[in-house]
Structure formats: C-alpha cells, structure tokens
Amino acid sequence: MRGFNYKKAAQALNYLACKNGGTLNKMKAIKLIWLADRLHTRKYGRSITGDEYYAIPYGPIPSAVRDILESSNFLEDSASDYASCYLREVNKYEYSSISEPNLKVLSETDINTINQIEEKYGRLNEFELSDLSHEFPEWKKYKSALTKRLSSRFSIDQSDFFINIDDQSGLFMDSQEDIEISKTIFKENAQILSILS
C-alpha cells in the first residue's frame, strides 16, 4: 500500500495499548489512530501511519491498521511478522501489547499527537468514539449512501481531514492560514509518493 508505514502503525497501536494498561479494544484503537492521523495531517501535512481511510457504518477506519489488528491475509508478510513481535490478539474485540513499544520508530510529533488524542478522547469507549466519528465531515459525506447500503465502504479523501469541526476538544479548529500551510505540505508529500510508486 502506497505510503503505509507498518512499523509506525504497529508501534502506535502498541503505545496506545500500553497507555491503557496493556490491553485495548480494537475498535477504540482504530478510532484513536484515525483521530491521531487526522490531527497530525492537519498540523504537519502527513499522517502518522500513511494508511488509506474508508467510511464504513461505524465511522472512518484506517484500512491496513485494521488488517494488523485482525491478522488479515491482506497484510504483507513483513508487516504481519513485525506486528506479531509487539501485539497479540486477545479475542475478537481486544488486543494486547507483548513487548515494550519501540518509540524510536515514531517521531516526536507522532508521539505528542498520540498523547494529545489519548488525553482528549481516551476516556471514551469504542461506541462513544464511533458516535463521535459520525459528526466528522469525512464520514458525513457518505452517511446517506451508507444508510441506503449503496456500498459497505467508501474511500475517504484525506484532504477532508483539513475541514474544521468543533467537537468540543479544540483540536480540530485551526486558522485558515495554518490549514493552508499544512495542506500545501500534504499535497507535496502526495506528489512525491505518486512519483515514487
């Protein structure tokens, strides 16, 4: 998958599990990763994981991050092998950390962003986070089509991450000037990825 960084994704999942006592609900983790990717994209012009996003009935999901949590056959062997050194499935709904996070894989801004998201949203359970995600523009765009079951998922345009939303956290309301700077960096990064692929 173009741009997906499985090491960062696995370590972000591992870090979140460790911050939650070692075990975490999978859907909650997926929502926290989405929020962290959304915030990091807005601040720095790139997501943490580089994952592709889809709108499904439960809200936005990072596709390959979900594959890691579900030990999916869609994952490349290298990604699966790496993740299995740090994470294990507890049951259908939870996963746990089995090794200390390798934070060298994550940048300082990655870690700070994850910490911000955990601080603001970590008290919410997976269903509350799912409900919250339904208020965000990148999901609302597909609400009608999902309700009518025109498809089970729709590809999210990550430039929609730049749309302001006042969800009471204060994290996703930025000046137009700041957004335009990050958007420019985001577009440049996308161009570089398309040239390299």
Side-chain angles (χ1 to χ4, degrees):
M1 175 181 301
R2 188 180 81 201
F4 178 61
N5 188 321
Y6 66 83
K7 291 183 179 179
K8 283 194 175 207
Q11 295 303 340
L13 288 167
N14 194 17
Y15 186 52
L16 282 169
C18 289
K19 287 178 78 67
N20 285 271
T23 299
L24 189 57
N25 176 274
K26 292 178 186 178
M27 187 160 83
K28 178 171 179 172
I30 282 170
K31 296 304 174 203
L32 293 174
I33 293 286
W34 156 65
L35 287 163
D37 269 350
R38 187 182 209 275
L39 183 60
H40 202 279
T41 299
R42 291 170 63 85
K43 297 289 184 194
Y44 306 105
R46 69 162 176 85
S47 73
I48 295 168
T49 66
D51 209 345
E52 293 177 2
Y53 275 82
Y54 291 90
I56 66 168
Y58 289 109
I61 59 153
S63 178
V65 166
R66 184 171 72 168
D67 288 343
I68 286 174
L69 289 173
E70 295 179 351
S71 303
S72 166
N73 293 330
F74 292 117
L75 274 182
E76 292 180 13
D77 289 344
S78 54
S80 184
D81 292 346
Y82 182 86
S84 68
C85 293
Y86 293 93
L87 311 169
R88 78 172 174 83
E89 189 173 51
V90 174
N91 55 47
K92 186 177 177 184
Y93 302 106
E94 295 178 314
Y95 74 99
S96 65
S97 168
I98 56 171
S99 186
E100 282 292 311
N102 179 2
L103 296 183
K104 290 178 183 174
V105 169
L106 299 167
S107 72
E108 189 176 332
T109 60
D110 295 339
I111 295 166
N112 289 342
T113 301
I114 293 167
N115 287 338
Q116 277 185 286
I117 292 301
E118 174 63 30
E119 184 183 322
K120 293 283 187 180
Y121 301 97
R123 72 190 188 290
L124 302 177
N125 68 33
E126 64 273 24
F127 301 111
E128 291 168 327
L129 285 167
S130 178
D131 289 345
L132 173 76
S133 74
H134 290 168
E135 300 305 313
F136 281 71
E138 59 266 32
W139 187 86
K140 273 185 147 179
K141 181 189 272 189
Y142 303 104
K143 179 180 180 179
S144 175
L146 285 165
T147 303
K148 293 174 184 170
R149 298 189 175 149
L150 299 180
S151 178
S152 61
R153 70 178 198 171
F154 294 90
S155 181
I156 286 176
D157 179 352
Q158 289 183 38
S159 62
D160 288 343
F161 287 1
F162 292 101
I163 300 171
N164 279 338
I165 175 169
D166 185 7
D167 72 335
Q168 308 304 310
S169 73
L171 292 180
F172 299 107
M173 293 294 292
D174 296 294
S175 72
Q176 205 52 46
E177 183 182 0
D178 288 345
I179 286 171
E180 288 306 320
I181 291 167
S182 293
K183 246 187 185 175
T184 300
I185 297 166
F186 177 76
K187 287 175 184 172
E188 287 170 359
N189 287 338
Q191 285 177 339
I192 291 165
L193 280 173
S194 68
I195 290 166
L196 295 174
S197 63

